[in-house]
Amino acid sequence: MVRYEEYGLIEKAVTSSNLNNPTVVDEFRYTVTSSSIAGLFTQGYMLAYYGSSVPAGWLVALNYVRDGAHVKLIVHLRWGNRLPCNKCILIITIYINSNLELTYKFKSLTYDSNQSISGIRGTIGGGAGEGLNPLDIVKFTSAYATLIRKTCTVKSNKIVVGRDARISGEMVKNVVVGTLMGMGWDVVDIDLASTPTTELAVTMEGASGGIILTASHNPKQWNALKLLNEKGEFLNAAEGQEVLRIAAAEEFDYAEVDQLGLYRQDLSYNQKHIDSVLALDLVDVEAIRKANFRVAIDCVNSVGGIILPQLLEQLGVQHVEKLYCEPTGNFQHNPEPLEKNLGDIMNLMKGGKADVAFVVDPDVDRLAMICEDGKMYGEEYTLVTVADYVLKHTPGNTVSNLSSTRALRDVTRKYGQGYYASAVGEVNVTTKMKEVGAVIGGEGNGGVIYPASHYGRDALVGIALFLSHLHTKARR
């Protein structure tokens, strides 16, 4: 937390796991009382625009300078004027990392970094406009529903809703589902499901979009709305900004009584997701079964504990050591799959009970691995190892974001193929992958994106491809 009073820094406590390897934040949201706006970083200037005029009190960042783990924001305070007030220039140096929260105390002006390119997140509880409470959930869900109604290219009145196992998940789901129905949308509730499962469900249902209720690797007090288009992919920056604009302006209308949406629950999508993984050409189910692998898993008390044991059983893995697989939402350790949080599964592996351990975050889009001796394999090498296997069988280009190591580039060049870097953020990675026709891509945080399955990070795909690769290595 970094807190400013006027121009002075009065408190500083940055909650970063590694300031020497920061995550670049791609989008910010600025809030003044009940008004808000989003701005997207570009290399030179940052756009923050609201219609033809700027509401009183908006903080608009016009430029930034990046220097290692610091970013200097150059901003103006606008008080009802279309042009910046030159007397109100404020230059702030901050740390940028994935868990950063900032508050600027300047004439009731606050900064909220919790609305990002992939969704809306916040802590549960507090007053209106604080965290992610039911009033805010209704507002942002209504704004999303309005945007999808305007922009969707498929003829469908369905929106898919899935959630991880967070304690607040049932409450948030009920609010989201009721709001969507109130906006006239038919809801397909797949309930406890991973992020990639929900993404696939959107396309399998032929739905117009989807909302995933998960705060990913954040602690249990957090939750979020992750917003999908009709392709089961995250909204792009412009669409995300439009959702924020609609929410701030409350430009939405609810359905009349005869046009209210319908509700249907469908709990078949975990199996449909597994079936899609087993059907991939490079997943060698028979070879994995014959290898008789012993596998351990840590699912941090969320939906991975439901779907990973089913996946492994259907891959033919008979011996599975399960750790924290009860989907209670009471995470037994920090849910981010970093080495410092994984002492229990690492100690289990030191006992020689398994050949490999797989660790996922609460929504199962990130994958980390532990070696048979209890040492961390490293999230960075999840994508690299899977890519090595994929490139061996299907040569082609690869993509990862700018915060990843050079290892994927080196592996790609080993096969005589092209490597491309994208801006940070899953939607940026997938956009670049489509642009260059990549056969594999992802992020250095353990996110594997395999277009033969779908354009989204998917730990199930990563596990199946890795075990197929491991069989090949073991056979030598």
Side-chain angles (χ1 to χ4, degrees):
M1 180 70 67
V2 181
R3 188 178 300 277
Y4 289 87
E5 185 73 43
E6 297 290 339
Y7 295 105
L9 176 66
I10 61 172
E11 182 182 340
K12 179 178 178 181
V14 180
T15 57
S16 173
S17 59
N18 184 1
L19 286 176
N20 293 321
N21 185 24
T23 300
V24 178
V25 175
D26 288 309
E27 186 176 7
F28 289 90
R29 176 166 171 255
Y30 303 90
T31 302
V32 186
T33 60
S34 62
S35 300
S36 58
I37 197 167
L40 176 67
F41 273 123
T42 63
Q43 193 58 44
Y45 289 89
M46 182 175 170
L47 274 180
Y49 185 69
Y50 185 92
S52 60
S53 62
V54 178
W58 291 74
L59 176 66
V60 181
L62 297 179
N63 204 354
Y64 78 104
V65 179
R66 186 181 299 130
D67 179 20
H70 302 81
V71 168
K72 179 180 290 185
L73 293 179
I74 302 173
V75 303
H76 295 275
L77 296 183
R78 297 188 180 189
W79 303 103
N81 298 316
R82 296 185 60 180
L83 297 176
C85 172
N86 292 327
K87 296 185 295 184
C88 300
I89 295 176
L90 185 63
I91 300 178
I92 305 161
T93 300
I94 60 174
Y95 285 104
I96 296 296
N97 65 86
S98 58
N99 299 316
L100 187 60
E101 298 176 48
L102 300 175
T103 299
Y104 301 116
K105 301 186 72 174
F106 194 94
K107 297 184 179 179
S108 300
L109 182 65
T110 64
Y111 168 106
D112 178 2
S113 66
N114 296 330
Q115 281 66 40
S116 70
I117 195 169
S118 62
I120 313 293
R121 78 176 185 272
T123 54
I124 300 300
E130 299 176 3
L132 191 68
N133 60 62
L135 289 176
D136 291 317
I137 294 169
V138 169
K139 181 169 70 172
F140 288 115
T141 301
S142 300
Y144 165 75
T146 299
L147 174 78
I148 293 299
R149 186 71 74 190
K150 294 177 180 177
T151 62
C152 183
T153 59
V154 300
K155 293 182 179 180
S156 170
N157 196 53
K158 293 184 289 186
I159 291 181
V160 175
V161 177
R163 69 180 180 96
D164 70 12
R166 289 171 187 275
I167 297 168
S168 62
E170 187 75 23
M171 179 276 289
V172 176
K173 183 188 80 170
N174 290 338
V175 177
V176 167
V177 167
T179 302
L180 289 172
M181 293 172 66
M183 293 291 295
W185 286 99
D186 298 332
V187 175
V188 181
D189 172 17
I190 66 173
D191 202 39
L192 291 170
S194 71
T195 284
T197 304
T198 309
E199 292 170 344
L200 284 167
V202 171
T203 56
M204 290 180 178
E205 277 286 338
S208 292
I211 300 180
I212 310 165
L213 311 178
T214 175
S216 191
H217 61 271
N218 288 286
K220 68 178 183 179
Q221 65 268 30
W222 289 83
N223 213 326
L225 314 179
K226 291 192 173 183
L227 310 175
L228 305 175
N229 62 20
E230 70 272 19
K231 297 178 182 178
E233 299 169 14
F234 291 126
L235 302 185
N236 62 36
E239 292 166 335
Q241 285 192 21
E242 181 64 4
V243 168
L244 297 178
R245 189 199 67 77
I246 293 170
E250 298 186 357
E251 290 181 2
F252 33 76
D253 294 307
Y254 296 99
E256 301 291 338
V257 66
D258 292 327
Q259 281 74 49
L260 293 174
L262 303 176
Y263 171 84
R264 172 169 61 90
Q265 187 173 74
D266 187 339
L267 304 182
S268 67
Y269 276 98
N270 281 342
Q271 186 57 52
K272 290 176 180 176
H273 185 182
I274 292 171
D275 290 342
S276 74
V277 173
L278 301 181
L280 292 171
D281 289 343
L282 292 189
V283 173
D284 194 336
V285 178
E286 187 60 28
I288 294 171
R289 180 177 290 111
K290 289 180 178 179
N292 197 28
F293 289 125
R294 300 172 303 154
V295 172
I297 54 175
D298 177 350
C299 298
V300 72
N301 303 106
S302 192
V303 292
I306 300 172
I307 197 167
L308 290 196
Q310 296 175 14
L311 170 71
L312 291 168
E313 179 183 356
Q314 293 178 52
L315 283 170
V317 178
Q318 300 300 317
H319 182 91
V320 180
E321 293 284 337
K322 301 175 186 177
L323 190 63
Y324 308 136
C325 285
E326 305 81 8
T328 63
N330 277 309
F331 307 143
Q332 294 301 300
H333 59 77
N334 185 309
E336 188 164 18
L338 302 176
E339 182 173 2
K340 66 178 183 177
N341 301 326
L342 304 180
D344 292 344
I345 189 74
M346 293 170 74
N347 288 333
L348 184 151
M349 291 298 290
K350 290 176 183 176
K353 293 186 176 182
D355 301 306
V356 63
F358 298 116
V359 182
V360 293
D361 62 342
D363 67 327
V364 202
D365 63 351
R366 289 172 60 177
L367 174 64
M369 293 180 282
I370 313 295
C371 301
E372 69 274 10
D373 59 359
K375 294 181 180 178
M376 186 82 177
Y377 189 62
E379 282 187 299
E380 284 281 355
Y381 293 101
T382 300
L383 173 59
V384 174
T385 304
V386 171
D388 193 6
Y389 174 69
V390 170
L391 289 169
K392 180 180 178 181
H393 294 86
T394 53
N397 297 327
T398 66
V399 173
S400 64
N401 63 39
L402 290 167
S403 67
S404 303
T405 69
R406 56 188 282 180
L408 180 61
R409 184 198 68 181
D410 295 342
V411 167
T412 305
R413 291 180 177 177
K414 179 181 76 171
Y415 288 97
Q417 306 301 312
Y419 165 77
Y420 298 85
S422 78
V424 173
E426 181 174 328
V427 68
N428 296 318
V429 176
T430 57
T431 298
K432 177 62 72 171
M433 289 179 69
K434 294 174 184 178
E435 178 185 318
V436 302
V439 297
I440 186 77
E443 298 182 288
N445 60 7
V448 175
I449 302 173
Y450 186 44
S453 174
H454 65 117
Y455 279 101
R457 297 183 302 181
D458 192 329
L460 277 73
V461 169
I463 288 170
L465 291 175
F466 181 84
L467 288 176
S468 299
H469 172 71
L470 191 61
H471 158 73
T472 303
K473 291 288 186 181
R475 197 172 52 185
R476 291 178 180 177

